[in-house]
Amino acid sequence: MEPVQSLSDLLSTSQTGTSVEVPGRLARTFGQSTLSTTLPMSKLFSIYEIDLEVQRQLIPKNVSRLVDYVLLYLDHGQNIYFPGVILSARGAGRYDTAGEKYYLSPVEKCYVVDGQHRLAAFRRVMETLQGNMARAKDRREYDRVEEITLKLRKLYDFPMSVMIYLDINARQERQLFSDINKLPRKIGGNLAVLRDQRRFYHIMATRLVMEHDVMDRLPTDMFSERGRGGEYIFAYSLVIEILIALFEGRLKSAARNNGYHYSEQELDEHLEQAVFYFTTMLRYLPEPDRGQLCWSENLQIALALFLHEEAFKTLQFNNYSLEYAMKILPHVDWSQIYKDDEKDRLPRRSRIMKAYQYIREFFDSQHLFLISDKEDAS
């Protein structure tokens, strides 16, 4: 009798026929063995597990937003896209080279490296539907049972791209998770097309940059989800943050109106106002340059927060009030905002709010003396 070398060997000999079968092809990724496959959510639910020593705690707000996205598919029939999930097998399972299939016993799991919030959203929708199903059966609401059954079937059949690292350990998982979530993410052509599935301000930012000449003077990196190349003034994510600050007076994390459902009229109206905002901004600030503090990320968000208050003094966007407030900009000494090493030392939110407060106080105390166009004030 051959000795048992691992838990996988033991399970494969004692529980033949009960393994979970995962079709896929082996490859080498960053020097490690990986399996690439596409799985229905029903099978993916059965093979993954969360290791909290590798993963951060779930952010409920992020899960709720992803739930809304999944419901676009179930309730409204819209196509949705999710980046692939990355798992780590930690040596579990066995791969059949001839059949190009990977086998996991029922007690073996793959650990999530990237995709925790996506999987949590799908699981929450599944559990909600299962609860609704039980209540509908209790009440003998058979039409409702049939409706929920169809949604559950769609959810279980939803295909998710999966990459499984077969031979990395927990320390390597933590490093991989850190790299994935900190480095800028380049967006391929297929993802650029799928941007029409995004939320209101994401669609608005894309159309603003792609369709309006004013943004030619503010080169924006549309090929990175995070960060920007050296030749760009703005990052795609920064344009979204500026728009949220301008139209809501909030930071991105607190946005209220960044939903999936909106009218074309609403989008066109906001785009027209955004074009006016950036056109006027270019008139009163120095020529865009990454070396100019006023064009830095934190200052641009702070300016949008301040100018929101001025533009919406009458509870609706007012071009005259906005332009009047912008006339203070040439008089601001940007170098006085941060003292010593505050620009590098303070947390991002603190830097934004410090800049906003400086601009707000400067305007309140100086605009009557520095802005001479009295007719604009009315």
Side-chain angles (χ1 to χ4, degrees):
M1 184 175 180
E2 294 183 5
V4 175
Q5 301 293 335
S6 68
L7 178 60
S8 296
D9 293 340
L10 176 63
L11 292 167
S12 63
T13 57
S14 63
Q15 299 185 17
T16 305
T18 62
S19 297
V20 179
E21 181 183 291
V22 179
R25 292 194 173 185
L26 282 183
R28 299 289 291 178
T29 306
F30 302 124
Q32 306 294 335
S33 296
T34 57
L35 179 82
S36 297
T37 185
T38 299
L39 297 177
M41 288 305 304
S42 56
K43 182 170 287 188
L44 188 52
F45 282 141
S46 68
I47 70 169
Y48 83 83
E49 194 165 297
I50 303 295
D51 183 348
L52 292 178
E53 291 188 3
V54 175
Q55 293 290 310
R56 60 193 175 193
Q57 291 289 336
L58 282 172
I59 302 172
K61 180 171 61 177
N62 291 354
V63 176
S64 296
R65 288 176 174 175
L66 288 169
V67 165
D68 291 342
Y69 190 50
V70 174
L71 292 178
L72 280 180
Y73 172 67
L74 295 180
D75 295 342
H76 304 282
Q78 292 190 21
N79 291 325
I80 59 175
Y81 170 84
F82 284 96
V85 170
I86 300 178
L87 306 177
S88 171
R90 297 183 182 177
R94 60 184 180 85
Y95 185 72
D96 177 6
T97 305
E100 293 190 333
K101 292 178 181 177
Y102 177 62
Y103 294 94
L104 283 166
S105 77
V107 299
E108 290 180 309
K109 301 293 180 183
C110 294
Y111 293 88
V112 177
V113 176
D114 186 57
Q116 178 188 9
H117 285 80
R118 280 162 266 162
L119 293 171
F122 272 96
R123 186 169 289 278
R124 180 182 294 181
V125 173
M126 177 194 69
E127 292 169 350
T128 299
L129 289 173
Q130 288 175 340
N132 292 343
M133 172 78 80
R135 284 190 292 274
K137 286 181 176 179
D138 289 342
R139 298 168 184 171
R140 300 185 179 181
E141 298 172 347
Y142 298 117
D143 289 344
R144 177 72 171 147
V145 169
E146 184 177 350
E147 176 189 339
I148 296 171
T149 299
L150 291 174
K151 287 185 178 181
L152 276 170
R153 190 169 294 141
K154 283 183 67 177
L155 186 75
Y156 289 144
D157 290 343
F158 186 86
M160 182 70 77
S161 297
V162 180
M163 175 182 283
I164 304 175
Y165 279 81
L166 300 179
D167 55 0
I168 64 174
N169 55 38
R171 181 187 62 77
Q172 291 170 308
E173 288 172 20
R174 285 192 290 271
Q175 183 60 53
L176 182 58
F177 173 79
S178 177
D179 291 344
I180 289 170
N181 286 279
K182 287 182 179 177
L183 297 177
R185 293 184 176 181
K186 291 293 179 183
I187 300 176
N190 59 325
L191 261 178
V193 172
L194 288 164
R195 275 185 166 152
D196 62 356
Q197 299 176 349
R198 296 188 170 195
R199 294 174 181 269
F200 178 71
Y201 289 112
H202 295 70
I203 301 294
M204 186 179 167
T206 301
R207 286 192 52 186
L208 177 68
V209 174
M210 303 301 290
E211 299 176 10
H212 295 278
D213 295 342
V214 65
M215 299 306 289
D216 292 344
R217 292 180 61 192
L218 295 167
T220 302
D221 189 346
M222 297 297 289
F223 301 100
S224 291
E225 186 70 28
R226 303 169 184 169
R228 60 181 172 178
E231 67 273 30
Y232 298 103
I233 298 294
F234 284 170
Y236 168 68
S237 56
L238 175 59
V239 177
I240 295 168
E241 289 189 275
I242 291 172
L243 294 174
I244 292 173
L246 175 63
F247 290 108
E248 296 194 19
R250 298 170 178 272
L251 297 180
K252 183 181 177 182
S253 59
R256 289 182 175 176
N257 301 316
N258 200 21
Y260 292 103
H261 295 287
Y262 50 86
S263 67
E264 284 300 313
Q265 180 181 348
E266 181 184 8
L267 180 60
D268 290 341
E269 180 181 303
H270 278 68
L271 275 170
E272 183 181 341
Q273 293 164 350
V275 169
F276 178 82
Y277 172 81
F278 284 110
T279 301
T280 311
M281 177 79 71
L282 286 164
R283 204 156 68 237
Y284 290 106
L285 284 182
E287 191 65 21
D289 188 305
R290 289 186 63 162
Q292 292 274 4
L293 185 60
C294 60
W295 288 108
S296 67
E297 179 176 304
N298 297 325
L299 264 294
Q300 281 295 306
I301 297 171
L303 279 170
L305 290 171
F306 159 68
L307 292 166
H308 164 84
E309 295 176 345
E310 297 303 310
F312 285 88
K313 276 186 172 179
T314 57
L315 302 183
Q316 58 183 356
F317 194 92
N318 187 308
N319 288 354
Y320 300 105
S321 297
L322 177 65
E323 184 168 5
Y324 176 80
M326 282 193 180
K327 290 182 178 181
I328 201 71
L329 300 184
H331 304 286
V332 177
D333 184 352
W334 308 102
S335 65
Q336 294 301 308
I337 295 176
Y338 301 113
K339 306 298 182 184
D340 302 323
D341 62 344
E342 286 182 336
K343 185 168 70 71
D344 302 313
R345 175 175 53 82
L346 291 175
R348 182 174 186 265
R349 183 187 180 92
S350 298
R351 281 176 280 165
I352 292 171
M353 298 315 297
K354 184 176 178 63
Y356 157 78
Q357 196 61 42
Y358 178 89
I359 299 165
R360 173 82 269 170
E361 291 175 356
F362 183 82
F363 177 83
D364 289 343
S365 62
Q366 301 294 323
H367 75 97
L368 293 177
F369 305 103
L370 296 175
I371 301 177
S372 59
D373 297 331
K374 301 297 182 181
E375 65 277 9
D376 286 346
S378 61

